Amino acid sequence: FASYYGAHMVLQKEPAAAVLWGYGDPGAIVTVTLTGLGGLVITKKTAPVKGFSGRWMTLLEPMAAGGPYTLTATQGWENVTLGDIYFGDMWLCSGQSNMAMTVLQVANASQELAAAARYPYVRVFAAAPARSDVELEDLERIGLPWAVPTPANLAQGNFTYFSAVCWLLGRRLYDTLRYPVGLVQAAWGGTPIEAWSSPRALRACGLPENAAGPPRSLCPLGCLSPVSFRSVSPHEHLSGPQTPSVLWNAMVHPLLNMTLRGIAWYQGESNAFLHTDRYTCSFPALVADWRQAFHAGSAGQSEPLLPFGFVQLSTYRRQSRDDAFPRLRWHQTADLGTVPNPKLPATFMAVAMDLGDEHSPYGSIHPRDKQNVAHRLHLGARAVAYGEKNLVFQGPYPTHAVLEVRKGQLNVTYTQELVWRCRDAAAFEVCCATAVSPCRWVPSPVVAVTSRTVTLALSGCGTLVLGLRYAWDEWPCEYRSCAIYNPQGLPAPPFL
């Protein structure tokens, strides 16, 4: 049986079928039996072991949520038996250090860990950090075998296992769904999107497929401790876990046979310093490529448009005038500002720019408020992955802007009712054209806020306004105090 699965696992429930796979003697026949309470045989499948690879694969019949069940894989006189198996929804959580932060590291960690005992049907599994120059069929190492959640296995140190964002998302999904949820973590700190991308996805964006040359690592300590980020030349040679495709090869490709319900992604800080403006291509390319790969690997059981949620970048340096972070936030939406959109269909986003944590012991780039991150992801999952109607899952976004020349004002209309929290914030800027500059960004003070409209003053800009942007800063607002929210407490995303 697949060597990195153990007891206590969750398999994907109906309407999809769970995929089982493993290894055997070439030419042998493997029999897989699913039994319920009292040894009642639910289903029995046979699968041949392919001679070249020594692998076998079979699909179970679609199963309703619930359990426990027992699985037995038999080849001749040999067998492997796995127990305490439940059917539910499977979610993969991937990315860099903000996804790898454990429950031990978040705000109110002791309360969160104490609550684990109330969620025995949210099962957790973590792939250990590993890299490979070739696509692997099986995980090289396991960080956390399938387990029932306990304070011990949710808090194995810093930036290890288990992911706080993943756990908090899964816990909220269980509260909503009331059936088992399986969570799989595959994350490594300090890693750029190129390392998680297949060669196909890299080629689609004209990115280099290898990193031959003198090794210079973004995080010499292996990215398992807080990372001191720095600017990286696009021509700089990368090594270790930053090398193109090495994490796709070792940590994603071995999982492709899994039937998934959705993916959660928290990554991008590294790409604020590497190939930043390529992210508008590399991120949609990764989403599309992972979807195609999981759909094919699961024999069509994972949806072609597998729901994909992601966290928009939070904050880093308070006084920085560098615009890499706001540019990366914008590129995370494929330069369209909000999702789902035509370039990123069936996606959802958790805005996090108002969750900055200047005093985080893990560095300000690692904010400890992962509860609000998970809450916002959970709302998006309910709306996009589960089709819950009339659920507000994202903040207000502008639909149009009208210039009032005689008043020297700009009226910006939004999609939702507005809650204006920070009246003194220089949140809006306009691009003014002058004789000496085609675009000079200057603050545009807020004159008035009505139910769905913000009126901005154009003092110092005249009437030739060529652009408008909001929250375009590395640290755009204080904690939970951005300029604009909706009545549900969700912040308006930045836009350009």
Side-chain angles (χ1 to χ4, degrees), residues 464-485:
L464 192 52
V465 179
L466 301 182
L468 172 69
R469 67 189 187 186
Y470 167 75
W472 203 262
D473 196 88
E474 191 167 304
W475 196 299
C477 45
E478 296 306 306
Y479 181 74
R480 299 301 305 278
S481 294
C482 279
I484 299 175
Y485 289 79

Side-chain angles (χ1 to χ4, degrees), residues 21 36 40 49 73 95 101 152 164 212 224 231 245-246 259 265 372 442 469 483:
W21 73 99
L40 176 67
V49 180
M101 282 181 74
L224 292 175
S231 298
S245 297
V246 293
T259 307
W265 174 257
N372 271 298
V442 299
R469 67 189 187 186

Side-chain angles (χ1 to χ4, degrees), residues 23-318:
Y23 300 92
D25 296 331
I29 300 295
V30 173
T31 301
V32 177
T33 306
L34 179 72
T35 56
L37 294 176
L40 176 67
V41 175
I42 307 299
T43 186
K44 184 176 286 189
K45 296 278 188 173
T46 59
V49 180
K50 296 182 180 179
F52 178 75
S53 64
R55 286 169 59 90
W56 58 268
M57 188 176 81
T58 189
L59 274 66
L60 294 178
E61 299 300 324
M63 295 288 295
Y69 295 94
T70 299
L71 268 170
T72 302
T74 304
Q75 176 193 279
W77 296 102
E78 298 177 289
N79 68 78
V80 174
T81 299
L82 304 175
D84 194 38
I85 294 170
Y86 283 78
F87 287 86
D89 277 351
M90 290 288 296
W91 282 79
L92 171 64
C93 301
S94 188
Q96 57 180 112
S97 53
N98 271 302
M99 182 61 84
M101 282 181 74
T102 66
V103 183
L104 179 69
Q105 297 177 267
V106 303
N108 301 318
S110 57
Q111 294 95 314
E112 298 294 357
L113 291 170
R118 302 202 302 268
Y119 295 90
Y121 302 114
V122 181
R123 305 293 174 83
V124 293
F125 173 93
R131 60 184 188 265
S132 172
D133 293 332
V134 296
E135 293 180 339
L136 302 182
E137 297 300 323
D138 205 349
L139 291 175
E140 189 177 88
R141 292 185 297 121
I142 302 167
L144 177 67
W146 276 111
V148 176
T150 66
N153 60 33
L154 292 178
Q156 295 190 23
N158 296 337
F159 302 100
T160 53
Y161 324 112
F162 188 74
S163 164
V165 168
C166 194
W167 165 251
L168 294 168
L169 171 62
R171 196 183 75 182
R172 283 164 170 76
L173 287 173
Y174 178 82
D175 285 337
T176 300
L177 302 170
R178 307 308 300 176
Y179 59 70
V181 175
L183 303 173
V184 176
Q185 172 187 333
W188 194 334
T191 53
I193 195 170
E194 291 80 3
W196 296 99
S197 302
S198 74
R200 291 182 304 272
L202 295 172
R203 286 194 294 271
C205 296
L207 288 163
E209 296 179 47
N210 58 66
R216 291 185 64 188
S217 175
L218 275 172
C219 50
L221 299 182
C223 305
L224 292 175
S225 57
V227 177
S228 177
F229 288 86
R230 59 177 175 79
S231 298
V232 179
S233 164
H235 305 291
E236 180 172 350
H237 294 293
L238 300 175
S239 66
Q242 293 83 33
T243 307
S245 297
V246 293
L247 304 186
W248 157 266
N249 291 338
M251 299 179 70
V252 180
H253 192 269
L255 305 177
L256 292 182
N257 293 145
M258 297 177 69
T259 307
L260 296 179
R261 187 65 184 84
I263 296 173
W265 174 257
Y266 197 158
Q267 190 278 332
E269 295 88 349
S270 289
N271 287 98
F273 308 96
L274 174 72
H275 298 148
T276 305
D277 292 323
R278 298 284 191 94
Y279 208 87
T280 191
C281 178
S282 58
F283 182 48
L286 177 139
V287 173
D289 187 68
W290 280 29
R291 284 171 167 167
Q292 185 277 329
F294 275 99
H295 180 67
S298 64
Q301 299 307 301
S302 295
E303 297 176 26
L305 281 179
L306 189 62
F308 199 109
F310 64 95
V311 184
Q312 198 175 47
L313 288 194
S314 182
T315 55
Y316 182 25
R317 300 164 297 192
R318 180 182 289 274

Side-chain angles (χ1 to χ4, degrees), residues 345-480:
T347 60
F348 52 97
M349 173 176 71
V351 175
M353 66 181 180
D354 65 331
L355 304 179
D357 187 356
E358 191 172 20
H359 303 294
S360 169
Y362 314 106
S364 60
I365 206 164
H366 298 120
R368 289 166 289 180
D369 183 356
K370 295 300 191 278
Q371 288 86 347
N372 271 298
V373 169
H375 169 65
R376 294 167 186 180
L377 281 175
H378 168 240
L379 291 176
R382 286 167 58 187
V384 174
Y386 294 96
E388 191 170 331
K389 303 300 182 185
N390 303 317
L391 175 69
V392 177
F393 66 98
Q394 52 194 347
Y397 198 74
T399 58
H400 61 278
V402 177
L403 184 66
E404 292 189 80
V405 176
R406 283 187 293 179
K407 293 184 177 181
Q409 294 180 346
L410 187 65
N411 294 316
V412 185
T413 302
Y414 278 80
T415 55
Q416 301 174 27
E417 184 179 346
L418 305 178
V419 175
W420 183 250
R421 287 194 183 175
C422 194
R423 294 186 177 275
D424 295 330
F428 290 91
E429 297 172 285
V430 290
C431 168
C432 303
T434 66
V436 296
S437 173
C439 182
R440 181 173 60 92
W441 288 101
V442 299
S444 187
V446 175
V447 174
V449 179
T450 61
S451 175
R452 295 192 176 211
T453 302
V454 176
T455 300
L456 306 174
L458 301 179
S459 53
C461 191
T463 58
L464 192 52
V465 179
L466 301 182
L468 172 69
R469 67 189 187 186
Y470 167 75
W472 203 262
D473 196 88
E474 191 167 304
W475 196 299
C477 45
E478 296 306 306
Y479 181 74
R480 299 301 305 278

